[in-house]
Amino acid sequence: MGTWGRSELEAMVEEATVDAYDEDEQRTGLFTMLEEYLYLPFTTAVLGVEVTVHGVDLTPDGRIVALCARGRVRQSIGILELPLPSPAPEGANGVSPARAKPRAWGRIEAYRHWAGGGRAPHASGGTGLHGRAERG
């Protein structure tokens, strides 16, 4: 990861949270962004074991999680903790694979930026909400 500048990440956060009035609404906007842009399923390694990510979910306690599976075993893993594969999987909502990879992964990086205290310029009188962490 790490290919996105702060201004690019903040622009993606702004796009996802433009109509949000509080942290919960911002998280919902970011979740919706991930649902829209993340091309599923894709595989990644968790603790050295390959798993398939089939979806994302917003838990009742406000965490965004990846819905992972390996065979019959199912596990939800917080998006903040999910190792992303390299190279990124192809495709996202009709975008060519070459452009979709950075767009989809950029959205995950944008959420991680927001959760780590990145600014949401329109929220709280332009000061943003800082120091966010997923509850768990």
Side-chain angles (χ1 to χ4, degrees):
M1 301 314 103
T3 58
W4 298 90
R6 181 182 177 101
S7 63
E8 293 169 306
L9 295 173
E10 289 178 2
M12 286 185 265
V13 169
E14 173 70 21
E15 177 185 340
T17 62
V18 69
D19 293 327
Y21 291 102
D22 61 23
E23 188 173 332
D24 289 334
E25 289 183 8
Q26 288 182 3
R27 185 178 296 106
T28 299
L30 290 157
F31 168 72
T32 301
M33 172 187 68
L34 289 172
E35 277 192 312
E36 181 179 339
Y37 284 97
L38 200 55
Y39 188 73
L40 299 167
F42 66 87
T43 59
T44 191
V46 175
L47 297 175
V49 177
E50 186 174 279
V51 299
T52 301
V53 177
H54 291 282
V56 291
D57 196 12
L58 184 58
T59 65
D61 66 348
R63 295 183 317 124
I64 298 176
V65 296
L67 305 176
C68 303
R70 178 173 172 87
R72 294 182 186 170
V73 178
R74 305 285 183 259
Q75 178 73 44
S76 296
I77 299 175
I79 287 287
L80 298 179
E81 293 82 27
L82 183 71
L84 299 178
S86 182
E90 295 184 0
N93 294 340
V95 177
S96 70
R99 290 186 55 222
K101 291 177 190 179
R103 286 181 71 184
W105 270 193
R107 297 317 198 246
I108 292 174
E109 286 190 44
Y111 172 66
R112 289 175 172 177
H113 174 74
W114 176 87
R119 295 177 55 124
H122 62 279
S124 302
T127 61
L129 299 170
H130 298 276
R132 292 175 199 85
E134 285 200 25
R135 296 171 243 167

